[in-house]
Amino acid sequence: VMSLLWQCAIVLAVVAASAANEDFNVDCEKHSIKVTWKVSPELVEHAARLFLGHCVPSTFSVLPTGEGMATFHYNLNGCAIKKRVTGKKHIYSTSLTYRPNRKPKPAAISHHIKCVYIRPEGWIPPFLIPAYGSAEGHGGLVFHMALLNEDLTGLAKSSLFPLGSFIPIWAAVDQKDHQPLLLLLEECVAATTPELQSASLVYPIITNKGCLADGKNGNSRFLPRYHSSAILLYLQSFKFALGEEVYIHCKLVAWDPEVFDIEKKACHYIKETGEWELLDDPSQSDLCKCCDSSCKPRLKRGVDSEPQGLVQNSVLGPLTIVENSETRIPSEFVKYPTVEQGW
């Protein structure tokens, strides 16, 4: 995949803050980035304070003019280089800096560096095959659920979450040759067993046909979609079965992306406004008003024959929530990660 990306590479070097006599060049290679930076004679003796991300120069030489040439040649996965996927591009970004003083003092010189690769047709996020969590077929479709890491770039490496921290949960339906679909989480509960039983102790997360009930008590929220066939639940860990194995049970529904009603929706509570909001179209948030009561439609003739969408019950886990008072964050200080649309 990376070789295909490299063949379509676009290099962008954007100056964030400039200084006189600085000159640099960026080469985006197949698996690495090479940056050469010509610096003024005044900076030659401070070569150890030149950085690409958090990496010092691979090599440094003094030119006949007295200027210095710093070369950084590192793998794209190193030096704290950040990667994100947006639209049809894979973007690797970092900073080229001169730091006379240690952090947190700001850099005296800073250049923003980007390597942009056009993703090949058919590329899918690397976490589309979840490490754990059920993925069952239904009607020719395949449903997925997985825990993601903090920056939403891959699978979580740990299933241990301090109380009050956030648990990013990703669910998707593989459309294949099917018409465009909207994935909804109709119901979700946490339980201490991998199978729900009548005697199971449960904690409600999503109730009432798509209402994120946990968001009213805590700070849980749906994140913006990158595609209609996937949904991201940013779930704040809760005080339920602390220290025990917990399983997240969800009913996934694949539905027409153009049709919303009180039974087919994704609603979360916005504390800033004190109102429920429809994730996919805030202008239709009236559909969420029933979240505080009952989202059952009025009985009408032929209701049993109406399409209900393709449904799959999935379970994710086990995960463990542990007590840690330092991770509790007041709602006014919660920052939700951004999600680029258009994968």
Side-chain angles (χ1 to χ4, degrees), residues 18 28 45 91 94 119 257 273 288-289 306:
S18 61
C28 296
E45 62 180 299
I91 301 172
T94 188
R119 66 175 172 84
T273 63
C288 301
K289 287 185 175 180
E306 292 186 354

PDB file of all heavy atoms in Angstrom, residues 18 28 45 91 94 119 257 273 288-289 306:
ATOM      1  N   SER A  18       9.197  32.228   9.685  1.00  0.00           N
ATOM      2  CA  SER A  18      10.438  32.270   8.920  1.00  0.00           C
ATOM      3  C   SER A  18      11.485  33.124   9.614  1.00  0.00           C
ATOM      4  O   SER A  18      11.198  33.952  10.459  1.00  0.00           O
ATOM      5  CB  SER A  18      10.165  32.825   7.519  1.00  0.00           C
ATOM      6  OG  SER A  18       9.657  34.138   7.606  1.00  0.00           O
ATOM      7  N   CYS A  28       9.864  13.677   0.131  1.00  0.00           N
ATOM      8  CA  CYS A  28       8.984  12.635   0.667  1.00  0.00           C
ATOM      9  C   CYS A  28       9.291  11.337  -0.073  1.00  0.00           C
ATOM     10  O   CYS A  28       8.987  11.200  -1.257  1.00  0.00           O
ATOM     11  CB  CYS A  28       7.516  13.028   0.483  1.00  0.00           C
ATOM     12  SG  CYS A  28       7.053  14.502   1.402  1.00  0.00           S
ATOM     13  N   GLU A  45      27.148  26.409  15.695  1.00  0.00           N
ATOM     14  CA  GLU A  45      27.568  25.873  16.996  1.00  0.00           C
ATOM     15  C   GLU A  45      26.403  25.358  17.829  1.00  0.00           C
ATOM     16  O   GLU A  45      26.610  24.756  18.881  1.00  0.00           O
ATOM     17  CB  GLU A  45      28.335  26.944  17.773  1.00  0.00           C
ATOM     18  CG  GLU A  45      27.527  28.190  18.095  1.00  0.00           C
ATOM     19  CD  GLU A  45      28.340  29.215  18.873  1.00  0.00           C
ATOM     20  OE1 GLU A  45      28.793  28.878  19.994  1.00  0.00           O
ATOM     21  OE2 GLU A  45      28.537  30.319  18.344  1.00  0.00           O
ATOM     22  N   ILE A  91      -1.687  12.264   5.200  1.00  0.00           N
ATOM     23  CA  ILE A  91      -0.880  13.443   5.476  1.00  0.00           C
ATOM     24  C   ILE A  91       0.028  13.171   6.679  1.00  0.00           C
ATOM     25  O   ILE A  91      -0.431  12.819   7.755  1.00  0.00           O
ATOM     26  CB  ILE A  91      -1.768  14.673   5.765  1.00  0.00           C
ATOM     27  CG1 ILE A  91      -2.686  14.951   4.569  1.00  0.00           C
ATOM     28  CG2 ILE A  91      -0.902  15.896   6.078  1.00  0.00           C
ATOM     29  CD1 ILE A  91      -3.722  16.025   4.832  1.00  0.00           C
ATOM     30  N   THR A  94       4.944  17.476  10.597  1.00  0.00           N
ATOM     31  CA  THR A  94       5.808  17.699  11.746  1.00  0.00           C
ATOM     32  C   THR A  94       6.364  19.111  11.649  1.00  0.00           C
ATOM     33  O   THR A  94       5.971  19.883  10.769  1.00  0.00           O
ATOM     34  CB  THR A  94       6.937  16.648  11.811  1.00  0.00           C
ATOM     35  OG1 THR A  94       7.640  16.786  13.036  1.00  0.00           O
ATOM     36  CG2 THR A  94       7.893  16.781  10.638  1.00  0.00           C
ATOM     37  N   ARG A 119      -3.970   8.523  -1.518  1.00  0.00           N
ATOM     38  CA  ARG A 119      -4.241   7.120  -1.190  1.00  0.00           C
ATOM     39  C   ARG A 119      -4.742   6.367  -2.413  1.00  0.00           C
ATOM     40  O   ARG A 119      -5.449   6.922  -3.251  1.00  0.00           O
ATOM     41  CB  ARG A 119      -5.259   7.009  -0.057  1.00  0.00           C
ATOM     42  CG  ARG A 119      -6.665   7.488  -0.367  1.00  0.00           C
ATOM     43  CD  ARG A 119      -7.587   7.184   0.816  1.00  0.00           C
ATOM     44  NE  ARG A 119      -8.898   7.758   0.683  1.00  0.00           N
ATOM     45  CZ  ARG A 119      -9.899   7.192   0.012  1.00  0.00           C
ATOM     46  NH1 ARG A 119      -9.694   6.060  -0.623  1.00  0.00           N
ATOM     47  NH2 ARG A 119     -11.081   7.770  -0.045  1.00  0.00           N
ATOM     48  N   PRO A 257     -29.404   6.073   4.213  1.00  0.00           N
ATOM     49  CA  PRO A 257     -28.769   7.304   4.708  1.00  0.00           C
ATOM     50  C   PRO A 257     -29.583   8.571   4.476  1.00  0.00           C
ATOM     51  O   PRO A 257     -29.253   9.624   5.011  1.00  0.00           O
ATOM     52  CB  PRO A 257     -27.456   7.361   3.917  1.00  0.00           C
ATOM     53  CG  PRO A 257     -27.720   6.576   2.687  1.00  0.00           C
ATOM     54  CD  PRO A 257     -28.669   5.482   3.090  1.00  0.00           C
ATOM     55  N   THR A 273     -25.796  23.565  25.102  1.00  0.00           N
ATOM     56  CA  THR A 273     -27.128  24.085  24.765  1.00  0.00           C
ATOM     57  C   THR A 273     -28.225  23.479  25.617  1.00  0.00           C
ATOM     58  O   THR A 273     -29.344  24.003  25.647  1.00  0.00           O
ATOM     59  CB  THR A 273     -27.442  23.810  23.286  1.00  0.00           C
ATOM     60  OG1 THR A 273     -27.481  22.386  23.058  1.00  0.00           O
ATOM     61  CG2 THR A 273     -26.390  24.425  22.380  1.00  0.00           C
ATOM     62  N   CYS A 288     -35.057  14.065  18.055  1.00  0.00           N
ATOM     63  CA  CYS A 288     -34.403  13.621  19.292  1.00  0.00           C
ATOM     64  C   CYS A 288     -35.164  14.027  20.549  1.00  0.00           C
ATOM     65  O   CYS A 288     -34.765  13.652  21.656  1.00  0.00           O
ATOM     66  CB  CYS A 288     -32.981  14.173  19.355  1.00  0.00           C
ATOM     67  SG  CYS A 288     -31.924  13.680  17.970  1.00  0.00           S
ATOM     68  N   LYS A 289     -36.204  14.833  20.405  1.00  0.00           N
ATOM     69  CA  LYS A 289     -36.928  15.298  21.589  1.00  0.00           C
ATOM     70  C   LYS A 289     -37.515  14.156  22.400  1.00  0.00           C
ATOM     71  O   LYS A 289     -37.711  14.272  23.611  1.00  0.00           O
ATOM     72  CB  LYS A 289     -38.024  16.275  21.167  1.00  0.00           C
ATOM     73  CG  LYS A 289     -37.491  17.633  20.729  1.00  0.00           C
ATOM     74  CD  LYS A 289     -38.620  18.608  20.430  1.00  0.00           C
ATOM     75  CE  LYS A 289     -38.070  19.992  20.101  1.00  0.00           C
ATOM     76  NZ  LYS A 289     -39.153  20.965  19.799  1.00  0.00           N
ATOM     77  N   GLU A 306     -43.384  -2.832   7.313  1.00  0.00           N
ATOM     78  CA  GLU A 306     -42.441  -1.811   6.891  1.00  0.00           C
ATOM     79  C   GLU A 306     -41.003  -2.290   7.107  1.00  0.00           C
ATOM     80  O   GLU A 306     -40.706  -3.025   8.044  1.00  0.00           O
ATOM     81  CB  GLU A 306     -42.687  -0.521   7.683  1.00  0.00           C
ATOM     82  CG  GLU A 306     -44.010   0.135   7.325  1.00  0.00           C
ATOM     83  CD  GLU A 306     -44.159   1.475   8.014  1.00  0.00           C
ATOM     84  OE1 GLU A 306     -43.289   1.814   8.833  1.00  0.00           O
ATOM     85  OE2 GLU A 306     -45.136   2.177   7.714  1.00  0.00           O
TER      86      GLU A 306
END
